[in-house]
């Protein structure tokens, strides 16, 4: 359950961003005005020359206790590294920097030559100034003499994180990381591959050749694309010319590496199947469409591998398959939940709307992080951030061994729709040791933040500290806080307001809609495809990171989430409930003056109905204006109360974190099954009550009750005559005043219409 006395709230902060020049509504042109400025001492090691009898040289850069080394090249006397080292100025305690050229694979890495510089004499560079030109320096021996030791080309300067070499530099924050693992500490920007829907419309096959001609074949088509396998239903035509007219849909990513392989399979029985023919389609040759216009159908030859008398394998023509294959570029390929998606654009760039602005995110720091792993007998955390908006993913550098990491990195995205959400996640890097990649370790999640752009004011800087909350099988835990600076800059106010009138999805989603099952299946394919592609990058964006950012598994059964959604639904009807309570007070004459005023207003409405709609909209204006002072001042954040985490039972959380299919058995499964039966029983009762009321309504005219229907028809005759002579305004006044009559004239028993309606027959007695 929730940690005791833990603050899960959002806090407004006032960081020293933009060098202290940025206020809440100020617009600056600096590319790093949303983060606190950090100063670094940069050393660029370019190359060496004229080294004396050195076969495996490398360079060591040392400031105080911080030491970084370049790679070394075997049997290369004049290697070129062009490597940059960045030392955080706030951690520098030494006054000099030592640059040493050493020879690898000798005793204690023999010193070839060295240099020393005073840090105070190093110049300062401010972008967009051009990079400092590197210079040749003559190396000195151990006693400080020059000559015969070779020369080293390097450059040194003081800079900030705005320097273009910052992302790829070696950082003193990761000084304890060495070898190939250094790449896992660097900041990177990733672009998701462009995703397409591949639609395969299977029409028919012709002249199939089954194994036995004495049986009717039971045939289906199997489609395979990479690791994804789909199959059609069995053809209703049990002959050699089967038809299907069925769509199979895949998610494919550019570039199209894997071909589409189609197989016509005959089910023989006893779990035996026989492939009657196969064909291969290369996606680069498939037609692309952007509108719901049918593409042309083609016949594809099915081939079959057979063995001749000499045991040689031979490919022969088997039959033909009639298909309609296309790449649908008019859809948006969903890889996130619809309710907090970061993009709704179609695959084809021709269908993209114009940009409406720019989103800027400053990832400043985190505080109070909990230890995520143990190292040398103590807890430690190596934290990095990942942010996703649209197809662009960003990853900050890893701050090694710190519970209060400072990133101060800023990123920018183009915005096409305000109804989008940016997701920021924090993870612990478990791939900083040699061999950690081969061990199958995963980067555990520390927390996640979502910010919806439509809730932000344009051109305002939001600086807040967001709680990092993780739900675990034993309850919710606050893992720390992350400080962010967010600004949404609108480039076209007209396009911004116009976007609220446009459909949320591209037109293809409405002209040729996908079923709910197709949407869920295709989203699963999309997340798997993205996870696979992004894990191939360097450094990789790992599968567990991508799946957490895309919220994979959000549609899995959760009793806690179901109760929370019900509470949300009831909260939205709170206004109607309050209105009904107010009307009930009016009817009970608890305040006679208010009741008389309501009677007067109601009479005005009835006598002058043309005032109803104007007054309704006027009341909306008054109510909306009164709520302006109560408007939310801060972006939304993960809410533990809204999610009902504090009232969730441990068994409910254990069920929520169970695998699918379940890994439990015995009494646990029995208990959960009984609980689901209890919930389903209540739902069944509610659905049955609704069905009963609908059947009673229908039975008024169905003559199911031979007395109730004539009574209702007689009432209809009298009502039609009465409403012909009685003005409807008089009738409305009578009904309204009768409903608001004084309690002295009320009785507690049900009214005549209620009694009549409850006696109407339903079909409940016919239920078994």
């Amino acid at each position: 359950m929730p940690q005791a006395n833990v603050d899960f709230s959002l806090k407004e902060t006032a960081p020293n961003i933009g060098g202290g020049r940025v206020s809440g509504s100020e617009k600056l042109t600096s590319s790093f005005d949303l983060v606190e400025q950090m100063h670094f001492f940069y050393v660029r090691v370019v190359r060496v020359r004229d080294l004396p009898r050195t076969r495996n040289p490398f360079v060591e850069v040392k400031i105080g206790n911080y030491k970084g080394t370049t790679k070394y090249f075997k049997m290369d006397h004049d290697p070129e590294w062009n490597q940059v080292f960045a030392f955080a100025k706030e951690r520098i305690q030494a006054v000099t920097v030592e640059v040493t050229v050493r020879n690898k694979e000798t005793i204690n890495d023999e010193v070839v030559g060295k240099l020393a510089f005073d840090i105070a004499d190093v110049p300062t560079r401010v972008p967009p100034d051009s990079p400092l030109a590197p210079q040749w320096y003559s190396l000195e021996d151990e006693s400080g003499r020059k000559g015969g030791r070779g020369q080293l080309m390097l450059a040194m300067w003081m800079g900030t994180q705005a320097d273009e070499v910052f992302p790829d530099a070696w950082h003193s924050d990761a000084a304890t990381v060495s070898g190939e693992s250094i790449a896992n500490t660097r900041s990177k920007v990733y672009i998701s591959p462009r995703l397409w829907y591949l639609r395969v419309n299977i029409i028919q096959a012709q002249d199939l050749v089954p194994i036995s001609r004495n049986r009717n074949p039971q045939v289906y088509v199997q489609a395979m694309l990479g690791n994804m396998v789909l199959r059609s239903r069995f053809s209703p035509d049990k002959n050699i010319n089967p038809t299907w007219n069925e769509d199979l849909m895949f998610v494919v990513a550019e570039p199209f590496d894997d071909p589409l392989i189609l197989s016509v399979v005959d089910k023989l029985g006893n779990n035996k199947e026989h492939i009657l023919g196969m064909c291969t389609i290369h996606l680069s040759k498939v037609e692309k469409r952007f509108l719901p216009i049918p593409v042309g159908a083609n016949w594809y030859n099915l081939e079959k591998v057979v063995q001749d008398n000499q045991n040689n394998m031979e490919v022969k023509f088997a039959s033909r398959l009639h298909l309609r294959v296309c790449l649908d570029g008019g859809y948006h390929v969903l890889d996130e939940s619809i309710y907090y998606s970061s993009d709704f654009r179609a695959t084809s760039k021709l269908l993209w709307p114009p940009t409406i602005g720019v989103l800027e995110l400053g990832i400043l720091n985190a505080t109070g992080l909990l230890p995520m792993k143990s190292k040398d007998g103590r807890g430690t955390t190596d934290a990095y951030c990942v942010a996703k908006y649209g197809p662009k993913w960003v990853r900050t550098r890893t701050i090694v061994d710190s519970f209060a990491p400072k990133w101060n990195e800023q990123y920018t995205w183009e915005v096409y729709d305000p109804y989008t959400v940016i997701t920021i996640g924090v993870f612990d890097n478990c791939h900083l040791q040699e061999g950690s990649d081969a061990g199958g370790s995963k980067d555990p999640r520390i927390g996640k933040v979502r910010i919806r752009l439509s809730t932000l004011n344009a051109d305002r800087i939001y600086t807040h500290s967001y709680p990092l909350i993780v739900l675990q099988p034993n309850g919710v835990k606050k893992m720390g806080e992350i400080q962010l600076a967010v600004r949404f800059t609108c480039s076209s106010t007209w396009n911004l307001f116009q976007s609220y009138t446009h459909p949320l999805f591209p037109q293809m989603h409405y002209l040729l809609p996908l079923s709910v099952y197709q949407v869920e299946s295709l989203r699963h394919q999309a997340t798997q495809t993205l996870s696979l592609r992004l894990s191939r990058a360097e450094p990789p964006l790992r599968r567990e990171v991508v799946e957490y950012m895309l919220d994979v598994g959000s549609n899995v059964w959760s009793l806690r989430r179901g109760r929370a959604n019900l509470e949300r639904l009831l909260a939205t009807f709170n206004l109607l409930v309050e209105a009904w309570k107010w009307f009930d007070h009016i009817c009970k004459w608890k305040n006679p003056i208010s009741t008389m005023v309501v009677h007067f207003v109601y009479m005005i409405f009835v006598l002058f109905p043309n005032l109803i709609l104007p007054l309704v909209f006027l009341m909306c204006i008054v109510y909306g204006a009164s709520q302006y002072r109560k408007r939310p001042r801060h972006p939304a954040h993960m809410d533990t109360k809204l999610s009902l985490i504090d009232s969730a039972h441990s068994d409910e959380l254990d069920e929520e974190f169970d695998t699918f299919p379940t890994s439990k058995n015995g009494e646990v499964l029995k208990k959960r099954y009984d609980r689901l039966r209890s919930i389903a029983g209540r739902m069944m009762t509610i659905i049955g009550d609704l069905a009963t009321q609908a059947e009673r309504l229908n039975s008024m005219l169905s003559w199911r009750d031979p007395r109730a229907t004539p009574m209702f028809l007689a009432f209809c005759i009298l009502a039609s005559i009465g409403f012909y002579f009685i003005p409807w305004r008089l009738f409305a006044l009578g009904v309204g005043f009768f409903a608001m009559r004084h309690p002295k004239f009320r009785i507690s028993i049900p009214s005549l219409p209620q009694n009549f309606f409850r006696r109407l027959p339903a079909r409940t007695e016919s239920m078994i």
Side-chain angles (χ1 to χ4, degrees), residues 74-144:
K74 291 185 177 181
M75 306 303 292
D76 192 341
H77 299 282
D78 299 318
E80 182 173 341
W81 295 282
N82 199 26
Q83 188 171 344
V84 179
F85 299 85
F87 298 86
K89 184 179 179 181
E90 62 179 10
R91 298 189 180 184
I92 296 178
Q93 298 178 351
V95 296
T96 61
V97 53
E98 298 177 3
V99 183
T100 307
V101 180
R102 294 180 178 271
N103 188 18
K104 192 69 174 176
E105 297 181 356
T106 59
I107 299 175
N108 295 327
D109 293 336
E110 174 190 5
V111 176
V112 178
K114 63 179 183 178
L115 297 167
F117 301 90
D118 289 334
I119 297 178
D121 297 334
V122 173
T124 299
R125 174 180 177 258
V126 180
D129 290 352
S130 299
L132 269 67
Q135 302 179 36
W136 286 104
Y137 295 89
S138 297
L139 296 171
E140 302 174 353
D141 59 15
E142 295 284 357
S143 59

Side-chain angles (χ1 to χ4, degrees), residues 34 115 136 152 172 191 231 250 282 297 307 321 364 416 424 468 474-475 498 523 538 573 582 595 628 634 665 667 760:
L34 294 186
L115 297 167
W136 286 104
L152 173 64
S172 58
I191 301 297
R231 53 169 289 178
F250 292 89
H282 296 281
Q307 188 175 7
L321 188 62
L364 282 79
Y416 293 85
I424 303 100
L468 295 172
N474 57 350
Q498 195 178 34
R523 186 193 167 200
E538 186 62 37
F573 291 105
W582 171 82
T595 304
Y628 180 75
H634 311 300
N665 50 36
E667 285 298 321
L760 291 173

Side-chain angles (χ1 to χ4, degrees), residues 155-230:
M156 293 177 292
W157 68 95
M158 282 290 182
T160 65
Q161 70 267 43
D163 204 296
E164 65 273 4
V165 300
F166 177 81
D168 295 322
W170 174 95
H171 287 271
S172 58
D173 294 332
T176 58
V177 182
S178 60
E180 298 296 331
S181 299
I182 293 179
N184 292 325
T185 66
R186 294 189 175 124
S187 58
K188 287 292 180 182
V189 175
Y190 307 83
I191 301 297
S192 299
R194 189 148 60 134
L195 301 178
W196 294 76
Y197 282 152
L198 174 66
R199 187 187 297 268
V200 183
N201 178 235
I202 305 170
I203 303 174
Q204 63 176 333
Q206 189 179 72
D207 299 332
L208 296 177
V209 183
I211 295 180
S212 174
R213 299 183 181 274
N214 298 326
R215 56 177 292 274
N216 294 324
Q218 296 184 6
V219 182
Y220 68 89
V221 176
Q222 177 179 283
M224 183 170 64
L225 184 70
N227 297 325
M228 181 60 60
V229 178
L230 300 178

Side-chain angles (χ1 to χ4, degrees), residues 530-651:
L530 284 181
S531 300
L532 182 63
R533 288 293 183 92
L534 293 175
S535 63
R536 297 176 183 173
E538 186 62 37
L541 208 55
R542 304 187 183 279
R543 174 181 290 272
E544 64 272 14
V545 174
V546 175
E547 291 182 349
Y548 182 58
M549 296 292 291
L550 297 179
D551 211 9
V552 174
S554 60
N555 57 344
V556 176
W557 162 253
S558 168
L559 181 60
R560 171 194 61 82
R561 196 180 292 119
R563 291 192 292 110
N565 288 336
L566 180 60
E567 292 287 341
R568 290 170 54 206
L569 182 63
L570 296 177
T572 57
F573 291 105
N574 185 55
L575 185 62
L576 295 178
V577 173
E578 293 297 325
W580 177 257
K581 290 180 179 179
W582 171 82
F583 183 70
D584 185 60
H585 289 171
I586 294 297
C587 294
K588 293 179 179 178
W589 289 69
K590 292 192 174 182
N591 189 335
I593 297 177
S594 299
T595 304
M596 295 300 295
V597 170
V598 171
H599 278 71
F600 176 74
V601 173
Y602 179 73
M603 184 173 62
I604 295 297
F605 279 169
V606 172
L607 297 178
F608 304 97
N610 57 317
L611 297 178
I612 294 178
L613 289 180
L615 286 176
V616 168
F617 288 113
L618 183 61
M619 291 174 62
C620 291
I621 293 173
V622 173
Y623 180 78
S626 66
Q627 295 297 308
Y628 180 75
R629 306 183 86 182
K630 302 178 183 179
R631 68 190 186 279
R633 307 281 180 165
H634 311 300
H637 65 287
M638 299 296 183
D639 194 334
T640 56
K641 293 182 179 180
L642 179 68
S643 305
L644 296 185
I645 294 177
D646 50 348
S647 62
H649 193 268
S650 58
D651 185 55

